[in-house]
Amino acid sequence: MATFLYKIGRFAFRRRHFIALLWVALLTFAGIAAASAPAAGSSSFSMPGTEAQKAFDLLDQRFPGMSAAGATARVVFKAPAGEKMTDASNKTIVEKTVKELSDGSEVASVADPYKGHAVSKDGSVAYASVKYKVSGVELKDASRDALNEAGQNARDAGLTVEMGGDALRTTPETGSTEVIGIAIAAVVLVITLGSLIAAGLPLLTAVIGVGIGVSTITALAKALDLGSTTTTLAMMLGLAVGIDYALFIVSRYRAELAEGREREEAVGRAVGTAGSAVVFAGLTVLIALIGLSVANVPMLTKMGATAAGTVAIAVLIALTMVPALLGYAGRKVKPAGEKSKLLGGGRKPKKTDRPNMGTRWATFVVRRPIPVLLLGVVGLGAAAVPAASLELGLGDDGSQPTSTTQRRAYDLLSDGFGPGFNGPLMIVVDVKNSDDPKGAVAQVTHEIKGVKDVAKVAPAKYNKSGDTATINVVPDSKPSSVKTEDLVHSIRDASAGIKADTGATLLVTGTTAMNIDFSQKLNDALLPYLALVVGLAFLLLIVVFRSVLVPLKAALGFLLSVLAALGAVVAVFQWGWLSGLLGVEQTGPVMSMMPIFMVGVVFGLAMDYEVFLVTRMREAYIHGEKPSQAVVTGFKHGARVVTAAAVIMMAVFSGFMGSSESMVKMIGFSLAIAVFFDAFIVRMTIVPAVLALLGKRAWWLPKWLDRVLPNMDVEGEGLKKLDEGAPKGADPDEDRELVRT
């Protein structure tokens, strides 16, 4: 592996014009394809195999004009103090608004509040339901503008009007903090690499990689049904790993220059050693992201696959374009320890025997491994405590900030019609095989009315052929409550008996039921996914480190990191700790997809630091150092760069917390805090302590397994043969240019 990558690095350095032109051409092609591609809306939400999805599919077949997957909006009216919505003047305003709402090519239907019994008992609140033919994000701006205009006209007439529903959802905005995150990354790069030119290389290559990845996703969005969150995740991970992977190549290149090697040889050595770590670190991320398909949720599968594609591009760019740009930079990229004139350098640094911070820290840990290990484990354990109170759910209008019209509409409906009104259940009754269809539906209605926590059951509505009916059920509790979840299970439990008695098949669906099924599906997939991802990565790390205990330690450390990060997410987004400081306007249940998503992404990122840091230790051990000294040597050469890489990732992820989308905000925070826990507590503290306690046993591998495993030579042992007779001094590439002239 090391020798192969060494040749790639030298080839890219020598053929820099070809490599640069190739990547610029790919970026241009992807950009043109994205610009000319048809606009894509939101990724359709489906969950194959769940009861809620089966019901939606049945509705599409039996109610072809119903637009079951279409967007909905609720326009909520509240009468002025002392008046009622049934007053003649207020009724006139509402009827006029309903007429305005009915106009538009994308409107499927509008329910009049007075004909549909949509006025509260006290007469203070009424609502009109608008059904569209397309999904919320596919909705044209003209339709959304017409909805807002109709509501404003009613406000101008004297009513309080608020609106909710997925018809109001738009593409999330990321905000200015994303730019701040990249700016922090740039500052860290300058401090770490000591040169503006050297610092600019990782940023430039990361932007090119993300540009290619995101443009490709945009070009394929319509064809593959990709949503906006898919692009956001790809951008988030692409920037983070793209900068980090390039940083490790450039940092190793400067270290090779400091050893006295000429530039082409230094590039080859950097790609052969640090590049090997980049390849295997990237593979762990790819395994974690592609493995999300285990959940069998199309949206999650697409998010993982597209993000994996962007990470793969980042790996290829680090191995090829970074060496090419180093060739262009020439002597402007200084050897390690030498700064540019702009940063106050230019003179050779004075030699000093004082060890750097990484060496001093590693020495401290190696001398006191047990106290350090206990402190790290107890600290992460304390951070993980809130995870025991984890509540999962999917956000609705009730989780929106109180400043939004969606949240105000949600509260008005709850006050006027009860807390369960915002999360109605739809019961789909298939009576195609029933001898008495209407009698079967009547029995279903009677059975449902007797179920605990049912507030209201609406009359059944039949399709044209009369073989399918829908019944709307309003729970007595709010949509995200445990009681509502129990109600869904109770109705489903009763379906078997109803089918035996009447031949009717009963299915429960609706947004609330879909959320419950989604959470259950992800919970069921978590352990298989964890076993698959950790198992494959464990085998991969055995090949990398040629050890059994080091990969085991890496996996256990990851579990500590992800549990602590999940605890932090619960504390902030569910309990509200530091919510004001972090811009979290509304607390509530943690998104259902967060546990499995965090397991996947955080595992991939955690293995990045494990590979980058421990391969340096393995390299020192293979070259003859004692185990404890190898730990110190690994920190001497790798701690500064790993620290910079972690800070960069935290800055990039934190930048996405400025998004207006709660899911993106939660993802940004969870990844940033997970990187902090894993890089600084697990990899920089617990790992050296454990390795110091294990000693030589850390690198133990059964002889039979040693013979079976392929030798990937991640440490660059094969490159030692190149040291004999390796030329030093003038750059041969520069010599060839002189000969041509």
Side-chain angles (χ1 to χ4, degrees):
M1 172 68 78
T3 305
F4 173 71
L5 293 178
Y6 166 82
K7 293 177 180 178
I8 289 180
R10 294 192 64 167
F11 173 83
F13 185 91
R14 291 195 304 268
R15 300 291 184 265
R16 62 188 73 123
H17 303 314
F18 169 75
I19 296 296
L21 182 62
L22 175 64
W23 283 111
V24 171
L26 288 174
L27 178 61
T28 304
F29 177 77
I32 294 173
S36 58
S42 176
S43 176
S44 58
F45 186 80
S46 63
M47 293 184 299
T50 62
E51 181 172 322
Q53 186 62 48
K54 290 177 183 177
F56 271 123
D57 295 339
L58 184 64
L59 287 173
D60 287 336
Q61 295 174 12
R62 306 286 177 85
F63 293 83
M66 186 177 180
S67 300
T72 59
R74 277 179 172 172
V75 182
V76 186
F77 307 92
K78 184 178 181 181
E83 299 181 17
K84 293 185 177 182
M85 291 305 305
T86 51
D87 293 346
S89 59
N90 294 332
K91 188 175 182 179
T92 301
I93 297 172
V94 172
E95 289 175 342
K96 182 180 179 182
T97 304
V98 169
K99 186 177 180 181
E100 292 177 4
L101 292 171
S102 301
D103 296 334
S105 58
E106 293 183 320
V107 177
S109 63
V110 180
D112 188 305
Y114 303 102
K115 296 178 181 179
H117 307 288
V119 181
S120 62
K121 290 182 179 180
D122 62 3
S124 63
V125 179
Y127 69 92
S129 296
V130 185
K131 187 73 176 178
Y132 292 91
K133 301 174 183 177
V134 296
S135 64
V137 181
E138 292 174 324
L139 203 62
K140 293 180 181 178
D141 290 338
S143 298
R144 200 172 280 112
D145 291 341
L147 175 65
N148 291 324
E149 184 178 353
Q152 187 58 48
N153 290 339
R155 291 190 190 99
D156 294 340
L159 296 179
T160 297
V161 181
E162 305 295 348
M163 290 175 285
D166 56 355
L168 276 70
R169 293 178 186 171
T170 57
T171 302
E173 300 176 356
T174 53
S176 60
T177 52
E178 180 183 340
V179 179
I180 296 174
I182 296 176
I184 294 174
V187 172
V188 174
L189 285 170
V190 172
I191 295 173
T192 304
L193 299 176
S195 165
L196 292 177
I197 298 295
L201 294 182
L203 286 174
L204 176 61
T205 54
V207 168
I208 291 174
V210 168
I212 294 173
V214 171
S215 297
T216 303
I217 293 170
T218 304
L220 299 175
K222 186 70 174 180
L224 300 181
D225 192 24
L226 305 177
S228 58
T229 307
T230 301
T231 304
T232 303
L233 178 63
M235 183 186 302
M236 189 186 300
L237 290 179
L239 275 175
V241 301
I243 293 173
D244 277 9
Y245 293 167
L247 168 62
F248 279 97
I249 299 290
V250 175
S251 179
R252 187 59 183 257
Y253 169 72
R254 295 178 69 233
E256 296 294 337
L257 288 179
E259 294 291 329
R261 292 188 173 89
E262 49 85 14
R263 296 187 179 275
E264 182 179 330
E265 180 68 14
V267 165
R269 298 296 182 111
V271 176
T273 51
S276 296
V278 166
V279 169
F280 283 101
L283 282 175
T284 59
V285 179
L286 294 181
I287 289 173
L289 291 173
I290 295 175
L292 288 171
S293 59
V294 170
N296 195 27
V297 176
M299 180 188 71
L300 203 57
T301 300
K302 293 171 186 177
M303 288 176 66
T306 52
T310 307
V311 171
I313 292 172
V315 172
L316 293 175
I317 282 184
L319 299 178
T320 56
M321 192 171 187
V322 170
L325 293 181
L326 288 173
Y328 283 117
R331 291 187 173 85
K332 293 180 181 178
V333 176
K334 305 296 181 181
E338 185 177 339
K339 296 182 180 180
S340 66
K341 292 181 180 180
L342 185 60
L343 296 178
R347 297 183 301 272
K348 290 186 177 181
K350 295 181 181 179
K351 292 185 178 181
T352 176
D353 294 331
R354 186 185 178 189
N356 61 18
M357 180 65 74
T359 303
R360 295 198 298 272
W361 171 248
T363 302
F364 171 81
V365 175
V366 167
R367 289 176 179 174
R368 302 169 181 82
I370 295 179
V372 170
L373 178 61
L374 291 176
L375 184 62
V377 172
V378 170
L380 289 177
V385 168
S389 303
L390 176 66
E391 295 178 8
L392 297 176
L394 285 180
D396 55 14
D397 288 345
S399 62
Q400 296 275 359
T402 53
S403 59
T404 62
T405 185
Q406 294 96 321
R407 174 59 186 274
R408 291 195 292 265
Y410 181 97
D411 292 340
L412 284 176
L413 290 172
S414 295
D415 294 340
F417 299 91
F421 188 80
N422 284 291
L425 306 176
M426 178 181 285
I427 313 300
V428 181
V429 187
D430 183 0
V431 289
K432 192 172 186 178
N433 299 322
S434 177
D435 297 332
D436 181 14
K438 290 191 175 181
V441 172
Q443 183 172 340
V444 170
T445 304
H446 176 73
E447 291 279 351
I448 293 174
K449 286 182 178 179
V451 177
K452 182 182 178 182
D453 208 41
V454 170
K456 181 180 179 182
V457 179
K461 296 181 180 179
Y462 292 87
N463 64 345
K464 290 183 179 179
S465 60
D467 61 1
T468 309
T470 60
I471 304 171
N472 281 333
V473 177
V474 177
D476 197 38
S477 304
K478 63 181 183 179
S480 59
S481 69
V482 176
K483 290 183 178 180
T484 300
E485 184 176 348
D486 292 340
L487 172 61
V488 171
H489 293 313
S490 297
I491 295 175
R492 287 174 173 172
D493 291 341
S495 63
I498 292 173
K499 185 173 184 179
D501 295 340
T502 65
T505 300
L506 183 154
L507 300 171
V508 184
T509 188
T511 302
T512 301
M514 184 72 86
N515 291 350
I516 293 171
D517 287 353
F518 183 65
S519 300
Q520 187 61 49
K521 192 176 182 69
L522 293 182
N523 287 340
D524 294 342
L526 184 58
L527 287 180
Y529 172 69
L530 187 62
L532 173 68
V533 171
V534 175
L536 289 177
F538 182 79
L539 295 176
L540 182 65
L541 292 179
I542 287 179
V543 175
V544 174
F545 297 124
R546 306 196 74 78
S547 164
V548 174
L549 295 180
V550 170
L552 180 61
K553 165 203 52 82
L556 294 176
F558 150 73
L559 291 176
L560 283 174
S561 298
V562 77
L563 286 174
L566 195 58
V569 170
V570 170
V572 173
F573 289 89
Q574 187 175 309
W575 293 357
W577 293 6
L578 302 177
S579 57
L581 180 64
L582 297 174
V584 179
E585 298 184 46
Q586 184 64 35
T587 59
V590 174
M591 287 183 302
S592 302
M593 65 182 293
M594 283 307 298
I596 193 169
F597 177 81
M598 287 180 65
V599 166
V601 179
V602 175
F603 182 79
L605 299 180
M607 294 306 102
D608 274 6
Y609 300 115
E610 180 75 14
V611 171
F612 289 140
L613 192 60
V614 180
T615 48
R616 270 291 197 170
M617 301 177 190
R618 169 77 179 171
E619 184 178 340
Y621 177 74
I622 289 297
H623 292 163
E625 293 188 6
K626 294 181 179 180
S628 58
Q629 184 57 41
V631 172
V632 176
T633 301
F635 269 75
K636 175 183 178 182
H637 296 291
R640 177 183 175 89
V641 181
V642 169
T643 300
V647 172
I648 288 170
M649 273 202 178
M650 290 170 60
V652 172
F653 292 147
S654 298
F656 286 85
M657 287 188 64
S659 173
S660 60
E661 178 68 35
S662 60
M663 183 171 74
V664 176
K665 185 188 292 288
M666 191 178 293
I667 289 174
F669 172 80
S670 66
L671 295 185
I673 196 68
V675 167
F676 171 77
F677 287 144
D678 194 85
F680 294 106
I681 300 180
V682 174
R683 309 303 154 187
M684 304 285 283
T685 304
I686 294 178
V687 166
V690 171
L691 291 177
L693 290 172
L694 291 175
K696 289 184 178 181
R697 289 169 294 181
W699 309 109
W700 171 78
L701 186 69
K703 291 183 179 180
W704 65 268
L705 187 57
D706 189 31
R707 289 192 299 267
V708 172
L709 291 178
N711 184 10
M712 304 306 294
D713 189 21
V714 179
E715 304 83 12
E717 184 70 15
L719 299 180
K720 291 183 67 177
K721 300 177 182 178
L722 302 175
D723 288 334
E724 298 179 4
K728 295 184 180 182
D731 191 324
D733 200 49
E734 294 176 359
D735 292 341
R736 283 191 289 273
E737 294 293 335
L738 290 173
V739 171
R740 292 192 187 100
T741 57

